[in-house]
Amino acid sequence: MRLDRQIVLLTALLSGLLALSMGLFGLFNLRSAHETDMKRNRLLLYEQCDRQIRMQVEIALSLLEGVYQQQVRGELPPAQAKAQAAQLVRSLRYGEENNYFWIDDYKGTNVVLPIDQQAEGKNRYDFLDYKGTPAVQLALEAGRQPGGGYFDYWFPRPGEGEAMPKRGYARAFAPYEWVVGTGRWIDDIEREAAARQQQKERDMRSDLIGFVAISLVGLLVTVGMSVLLGRRIAAPIRAMANRMRAEAEGRPSEYPAEADGVEEVRELSFAFAQMTGALKERQIALVRQNEELSALYEEVSATEETLHEQFKLLLQSEERYRTLAYYDVLTHLINRTRFKEVLEQRLLEPDGTGTLLYFDLDNFKEVNDTFGHPYGDKILQMVSQRLLAATPQETTVARIGGDEFTVLMNSADTTAVMAAVEAIQTAFLTPFYLDNSRHYLSFSIGIASWPAHGEDADTLMRHAELALYDVKEKGKNMWRVFGIELDEALRKRRRLEAHLGEAVARRELFLVYQPQANAVNGTVSRCEALLRWQHPEDGLISPDAFISVAEKTGLIIPIGYWILEQAALFALRLAKRQGAESAISVNISAVQLADADFVAGVARVLENTGLPPSLLELEITESVMLADWQDSIDKLRQLRAMGVRIALDDFGTGYSSLTYLHQLPIDVLKVDRAFVQGIGHIGGRTEILSTILSLAHQLRLQVVAEGVETEEQVAFLRGSGCDFIQGYYYSRPLVEAEYAAWLKRRKS
Ligand code: C2E
Ligand code: MG
Ligand code: MG
């Protein structure tokens, strides 16, 4: 084959291969880039949809808020404001004019549904029950989360019967108890994704065609050039061959300069090398460009991701801003955050004084539990209104928690503070009426003034709260001013809490026994066991100070069984020593009786110790009964069926009512010290005491009088038919050895 043709063929082959590999390389790169692009696009589209529907709902809510504010300002009557708000939402559209909003109320009744206004006013729970879950339920669940929520549901397009999957977002508008929402059909999102995909594919195809075309043109140019070049390379060689042939045949011939020909070949090969070099460089440049492009793509996606991230953060901080915002959504009073700021500002004023009143509604939990939270919310709104009305203009009123309010006064003057407290208490004497129910509400109030009770906001708040807790503990509907002893009491309580657990193991707990004498003949065959704690640092601690700690920590359960066992063993030892039976009375706390295992636990103690049940008496108080009336009655009946006796302790304090006494499964009534102390005093409640005694006897209950200290009291009680007498008159509570000695002394 001729050299020039060989060159052409070789060049064509080489550049063809080059073009093909470049084409494949490009194709591969483009395809993979487009594929990841596609996935991202779909994901982004869904996220975009989420953001869009959330934003739209927020816009709708801010419009609602606008109308509602007109109502609050009194510019619109409530009914009209509500109707106007609904109409506003009904008319709203976004996107391609076919996206709308709906409203359901908290009960599931539809308020607005622009595409099917027949549904308005109807309950939606029985509508569109797809897969057993009504769409409205999903919407309410999502919408009533704080800050609203997304949900997936099925809903028919307007004019089409069949329900289609939809992505929704809903959020509550609390003042009207509405949940406002909107949604987009998944179908629409998919359609948009498909459209975008098609566009991308079209772009990709034209990219490829362009690429192939350029490669082909390049190929043609290269081949054309190689033809020319080949000829130019071949020409001098052929000329040389002609001359040589002519030389051989002896013909004269034009002799081209050999050096010229060689030079040309060299130049040609040089140029060829240059060309291939250039082509290679161009390929490298192309590859690099491609790399740069993908790096750029990477970078763009990264920025997009950061942007996305930032958007999320923005939403979060917006959310935070909303929850931390200064106003309480329910009552429109300032919230805890703002209140603290106001307090801090006031504390900065030089030589300033002021008072912080910390309010807590008494028994508000019952309103919530009985009537539900939305109802409770309305009551709270009424409470805040009344609180505002009862306080002077210049005071700051805040809602800082569920049923907790604070009031900030400019003065620390006792008279002024008491006047303010009285005004508020008087305002709450009038009951609250809502939905045909009447509620009497009262406040417990803790009070702290500055500079006396603290000079920074945290301390003042804590001290006012401590005073409040003390009020709550002592019986509610009262106020108290903080005193340093509260802080000390709290510290002591904390210390007791920390040590009580080890007290049993360290044998710091022990029992003392107080005799109960027969009122008629003075003989003693029964006593009450009373708990003591010998604390290594605080000395002897009375049960009044630590039983509540034991109850709170749950330690009363194990300690309670220990007490029962100790008391039973004591009674047995005593009987053995005396040669006669002795009954023992043991105090039982509410937490113990509430324990499901209690009856079985008592039976276990009796079995383990061998104490006959008839010798054990359990003392309970009325407040114990009140915790869970039926459960308490059931357990007491079971205990009595076992032969154990039940005494009602501290009768006459607390909720005492003679009328329900006959309903209680008890054997003994322990009349509280308060009644006994009245004996012999002017205005003493001796008449009531006589009545209690005669009623108790009609009910076949034995009566024990507690806290009997004087001869006079003993005489009266004996005369009134009291059965047993317990008190310092006979003896203080004694440790076992003292008790035995005391008994012995009495007998002789
Ligand atoms: P309580 O069951 O009503 O006990 C009577 C309290 O009155 C005892 O106080 C007793 O020492 C005291 N007292 C007795 N006679 C007189 C008197 O003539 N004058 C005066 N001023 N006081 C008298 P204590 O021992 O401090 O117990 C207080 C309360 O602690 C008891 O009231 C009881 O509710 C509770 N408690 C005591 N021991 C236990 C126990 O083992 N378990 C439980 N759960 N509670 C207990
Ligand atoms: Mg007692
Ligand atoms: Mg008592």
Side-chain angles (χ1 to χ4, degrees):
M1 200 193 282
R2 276 168 57 173
L3 181 62
D4 52 348
R5 293 204 183 126
Q6 278 180 27
I7 289 174
V8 170
L9 209 72
L10 204 69
T11 317
L13 203 71
L14 278 175
S15 46
L17 269 174
L18 199 68
L20 192 71
S21 61
M22 273 165 64
L24 281 174
F25 183 74
L27 184 69
F28 174 74
N29 267 293
L30 277 173
R31 187 165 274 285
S32 64
H34 274 287
E35 251 161 30
T36 43
D37 211 23
M38 270 355 301
K39 275 187 207 143
R40 292 187 59 81
N41 260 328
R42 250 181 110 241
L43 217 78
L44 282 175
L45 215 71
Y46 273 92
E47 282 173 4
Q48 205 180 336
C49 158
D50 275 2
R51 280 200 297 273
Q52 186 194 29
I53 55 179
R54 183 191 173 125
M55 203 176 71
Q56 293 296 341
V57 168
E58 279 169 0
I59 292 171
L61 279 173
S62 58
L63 292 174
L64 278 183
E65 180 64 28
V67 178
Y68 175 65
Q69 282 309 324
Q70 278 178 282
Q71 175 191 330
V72 171
R73 287 195 301 269
E75 293 161 20
L76 278 176
Q80 198 183 328
K82 227 170 155 173
Q84 197 166 317
Q87 184 47 38
L88 188 66
V89 172
R90 202 175 283 118
S91 64
L92 286 176
R93 295 288 183 280
Y94 65 94
E96 286 158 354
E97 293 300 305
N98 50 11
N99 292 309
Y100 59 90
F101 299 85
W102 43 258
I103 300 177
D104 291 323
D105 71 11
Y106 286 1
K107 294 194 187 85
T109 306
N110 181 268
V111 181
V112 169
L113 185 61
I115 54 156
D116 178 14
Q117 293 190 19
Q118 307 282 331
E120 293 183 359
K122 289 186 188 133
N123 193 290
R124 304 289 285 165
Y125 271 97
D126 44 19
F127 180 74
L128 237 176
D129 200 350
Y130 187 80
K131 289 187 190 168
T133 320
V136 66
Q137 183 184 331
L138 300 173
L140 289 182
E141 276 167 8
R144 295 195 62 187
Q145 288 169 34
Y150 293 104
F151 63 106
D152 295 296
Y153 63 116
W154 290 63
F155 205 82
R157 283 174 175 285
E160 291 178 25
E162 219 188 356
M164 312 275 279
K166 221 177 159 177
R167 175 74 168 159
Y169 180 81
R171 189 156 173 168
F173 184 65
Y176 291 163
E177 298 189 348
W178 283 354
V179 165
V180 183
T182 189
R184 289 202 54 194
W185 275 279
I186 297 295
D187 219 29
D188 287 346
I189 307 172
E190 284 296 337
R191 203 169 300 141
E192 205 172 318
R196 286 196 190 187
Q197 181 151 358
Q198 271 167 14
Q199 183 56 42
K200 285 272 166 187
E201 263 161 21
R202 269 199 294 279
D203 290 353
M204 190 173 84
R205 227 170 284 142
S206 65
D207 281 352
L208 261 177
I209 290 170
F211 201 89
V212 169
I214 288 170
S215 299
L216 276 175
V217 169
L219 186 68
L220 283 175
V221 169
T222 319
V223 170
M225 263 166 70
S226 68
V227 169
L228 280 174
L229 288 173
R231 277 201 189 140
R232 287 202 66 184
I233 291 171
I237 297 173
R238 220 179 290 146
M240 266 198 307
N242 280 344
R243 197 195 149 252
M244 280 156 85
R245 219 174 284 135
E247 286 281 329
E249 287 165 12
R251 279 188 284 118
S253 64
E254 283 274 60
Y255 184 72
E258 213 175 273
D260 272 346
V262 172
E263 206 48 50
E264 261 182 27
V265 173
R266 214 179 274 155
E267 217 176 273
L268 271 174
S269 66
F270 181 62
F272 186 74
Q274 243 181 351
M275 182 196 76
T276 45
L279 270 174
K280 206 169 271 166
E281 256 167 32
R282 229 171 284 161
Q283 189 203 2
I284 290 170
L286 254 171
V287 168
R288 198 170 301 143
Q289 228 170 324
N290 210 321
E291 263 166 16
E292 267 168 21
L293 262 173
S294 23
L296 193 69
Y297 176 79
E298 216 78 74
E299 221 172 280
V300 168
S301 338
T303 335
E304 198 183 299
E305 220 145 295
T306 336
L307 271 173
H308 194 69
E309 212 59 35
Q310 276 171 351
F311 183 74
K312 253 195 216 157
L313 280 178
L314 204 74
L315 281 184
Q316 272 166 10
S317 58
E318 190 187 306
E319 198 68 57
R320 221 171 105 75
Y321 168 72
R322 262 193 206 133
T323 44
L324 288 186
Y326 285 155
Y327 289 90
D328 170 45
V329 195
L330 186 67
T331 59
H332 298 285
L333 293 175
I334 58 169
N335 63 12
R336 182 185 277 270
T337 317
R338 180 69 193 136
F339 180 78
K340 247 183 96 182
E341 281 185 13
V342 173
L343 179 58
E344 272 157 4
Q345 273 164 14
R346 299 284 296 284
L347 284 165
L348 285 179
E349 286 166 17
D351 302 324
T353 60
T355 300
L356 166 65
L357 306 175
Y358 201 128
F359 291 78
D360 187 294
L361 275 178
D362 296 328
N363 309 325
F364 186 67
K365 193 176 170 294
E366 282 164 26
V367 176
N368 267 336
D369 289 351
T370 322
F371 296 89
H373 281 265
Y375 188 95
D377 282 354
K378 279 189 206 147
I379 295 278
L380 281 177
Q381 283 169 343
M382 295 164 81
V383 164
S384 74
Q385 294 293 330
R386 201 174 287 183
L387 196 56
L388 270 180
T391 45
Q393 199 83 57
E394 70 276 7
T395 51
T396 305
V397 180
R399 176 175 178 235
I400 58 163
D403 59 351
E404 291 178 2
F405 296 84
T406 43
V407 168
L408 201 57
M409 286 183 64
N410 279 334
S411 158
D413 173 55
T414 321
T415 331
V417 173
M418 286 312 109
V421 167
E422 217 163 279
I424 291 168
Q425 283 183 327
T426 312
F428 278 80
L429 287 178
T430 317
F432 289 83
Y433 293 94
L434 183 63
D435 296 351
N436 300 324
S437 289
R438 185 172 55 184
H439 304 276
Y440 287 95
L441 293 177
S442 63
F443 271 124
S444 295
I445 313 170
I447 303 170
S449 299
W450 75 89
H453 303 138
E455 290 180 4
D456 63 275
D458 284 328
T459 311
L460 277 167
M461 294 278 273
R462 197 167 59 84
H463 285 172
E465 208 176 346
L466 271 181
L468 172 68
Y469 284 153
D470 190 61
V471 173
K472 286 265 171 204
E473 211 156 83
K474 302 232 163 87
K476 305 175 178 172
N477 191 17
M478 287 187 299
W479 52 266
R480 96 155 269 177
V481 180
F482 171 78
I484 198 70
E485 70 281 2
L486 286 179
D487 215 12
E488 273 153 21
L490 183 79
R491 267 178 242 273
K492 184 164 176 195
R493 209 182 147 88
R494 294 263 155 80
R495 215 168 44 234
L496 293 186
E497 256 173 43
H499 288 137
L500 188 57
E502 303 149 29
V504 184
R506 290 213 221 122
R507 297 172 180 272
E508 288 168 11
L509 296 183
F510 63 96
L511 292 181
V512 288
Y513 305 93
Q514 189 174 31
Q516 296 174 342
N518 185 309
V520 181
N521 55 25
T523 55
V524 175
S525 57
R526 43 183 289 147
C527 61
E528 177 178 6
L530 293 158
L531 187 59
R532 295 289 178 267
W533 181 3
Q534 184 67 49
H535 193 278
E537 287 141 37
D538 294 336
L540 194 65
I541 307 176
S542 125
D544 285 327
F546 69 87
I547 291 288
S548 63
V549 175
E551 286 177 336
K552 208 176 121 205
T553 52
L555 278 169
I556 193 68
I557 307 272
I559 292 178
Y561 287 129
W562 178 85
I563 293 169
L564 269 172
E565 201 176 78
Q566 295 302 308
L569 293 174
F570 164 82
L572 288 168
R573 278 194 299 266
L574 197 68
K576 217 167 167 187
R577 221 165 172 165
Q578 271 190 308
E581 278 185 343
S582 179
I584 182 95
S585 191
V586 179
N587 293 284
I588 299 299
S589 107
V591 179
Q592 285 174 276
L593 189 65
D595 185 30
D597 189 46
F598 184 65
V599 177
V602 172
R604 251 193 325 267
V605 171
L606 290 173
E607 202 184 308
N608 291 346
T609 57
L611 184 77
S614 60
L615 294 185
L616 179 65
E617 193 169 286
L618 300 180
E619 292 191 12
I620 50 136
T621 59
E622 287 159 291
S623 54
V624 168
M625 299 288 307
L626 285 176
D628 186 344
W629 186 264
Q630 198 49 51
D631 180 63
S632 306
I633 300 245
D634 289 347
K635 283 181 178 147
L636 296 181
R637 287 217 173 102
Q638 289 169 39
L639 288 163
R640 282 181 88 203
M642 277 160 46
V644 174
R645 287 154 55 88
I646 308 293
L648 187 64
D649 202 356
D650 301 345
F651 186 78
T653 61
Y655 307 88
S656 294
S657 163
L658 291 170
T659 49
Y660 71 68
L661 212 50
H662 69 276
Q663 299 173 19
L664 300 179
I666 56 171
D667 308 274
V668 177
L669 197 65
K670 291 192 79 176
V671 178
D672 191 71
R673 194 164 75 226
F675 283 100
V676 175
Q677 274 168 351
I679 298 170
H681 289 277
I682 297 163
R685 294 182 274 181
T686 42
E687 272 163 45
I688 309 179
L689 187 54
S690 307
T691 318
I692 292 174
L693 280 164
S694 72
L695 183 81
H697 286 146
Q698 278 170 34
L699 293 171
R700 292 179 211 293
L701 299 175
Q702 287 190 314
V703 178
V704 178
E706 281 191 290
V708 181
E709 295 179 356
T710 66
E711 178 88 62
E712 194 186 2
Q713 291 164 353
V714 175
F716 176 87
L717 289 164
R718 194 174 283 152
S720 312
C722 179
D723 300 279
F724 297 99
I725 291 173
Q726 176 181 357
Y728 295 170
Y729 176 76
Y730 285 110
S731 171
R732 289 177 176 267
L734 304 165
V735 292
E736 179 166 356
E738 287 173 344
Y739 190 88
W742 180 86
L743 269 185
K744 212 167 168 187
R745 267 206 311 277
R746 254 189 92 72
K747 276 194 182 149
S748 56

